[in-house]
Amino acid sequence: QVQLVESGGGLVQPGGSLRLSCAASGSIFSINAMYWYRQASGKQRELVATISSGGSTTYADSVKGRFTISRDNAKNTVYLQMNSLKPEDTAVYYCKADTWAKEVHWGQGTQVTVSS
């Protein structure tokens, strides 16, 4: 089993920055790719960013150039650096991990609110 715990959310003004963290524990050796998703109120959950086991990254068009996903394997942690935040980035942000055995694990989410 893999456990994921997100942190780093909060209230920030438009144009500001936040860094989200997702700490993994448990069967971490089984983790393949990791992801950040977000879900705004009344909307479907959407994929924000992906990082493979080899470090390759992909981003949603809406966050390209503003968000950066990274992973620190020594700390078993994935980060999402969010810059130039906009009100439309307001959502609950979730971390997800896929394992080599095709299992899927989710964190509990962390709220990000972008407002003046």
Side-chain angles (χ1 to χ4, degrees), residues 3 9 16 18-19 22 24 26 36-38 40 45 59 61 64 77 81 83-84 90 97 103 106 109 113:
Q3 293 80 43
L18 280 176
R19 188 176 79 157
C22 173
W36 283 101
Y37 282 75
R38 66 185 181 187
R45 193 171 296 190
Y59 297 92
D61 287 344
K64 277 181 183 176
T77 300
Q81 178 66 44
N83 299 327
S84 302
T90 295
E103 298 167 341
W106 290 92
T113 302

Side-chain angles (χ1 to χ4, degrees), residues 25-44:
S25 61
S27 301
I28 55 175
F29 59 88
S30 66
I31 294 175
N32 180 8
M34 296 192 72
Y35 312 80
W36 283 101
Y37 282 75
R38 66 185 181 187
Q39 187 167 18
S41 181
K43 295 188 177 181
Q44 288 190 328

Side-chain angles (χ1 to χ4, degrees), residues 37-56:
Y37 282 75
R38 66 185 181 187
Q39 187 167 18
S41 181
K43 295 188 177 181
Q44 288 190 328
R45 193 171 296 190
E46 64 173 350
L47 177 61
V48 174
T50 303
I51 187 163
S52 71
S53 58
S56 299

Side-chain angles (χ1 to χ4, degrees), residues 77-99:
T77 300
V78 171
Y79 302 98
L80 186 67
Q81 178 66 44
M82 305 186 295
N83 299 327
S84 302
L85 283 161
K86 305 175 181 180
E88 51 263 45
D89 294 317
T90 295
V92 178
Y93 283 71
Y94 297 91
C95 177
K96 189 185 87 167
D98 289 347
T99 70

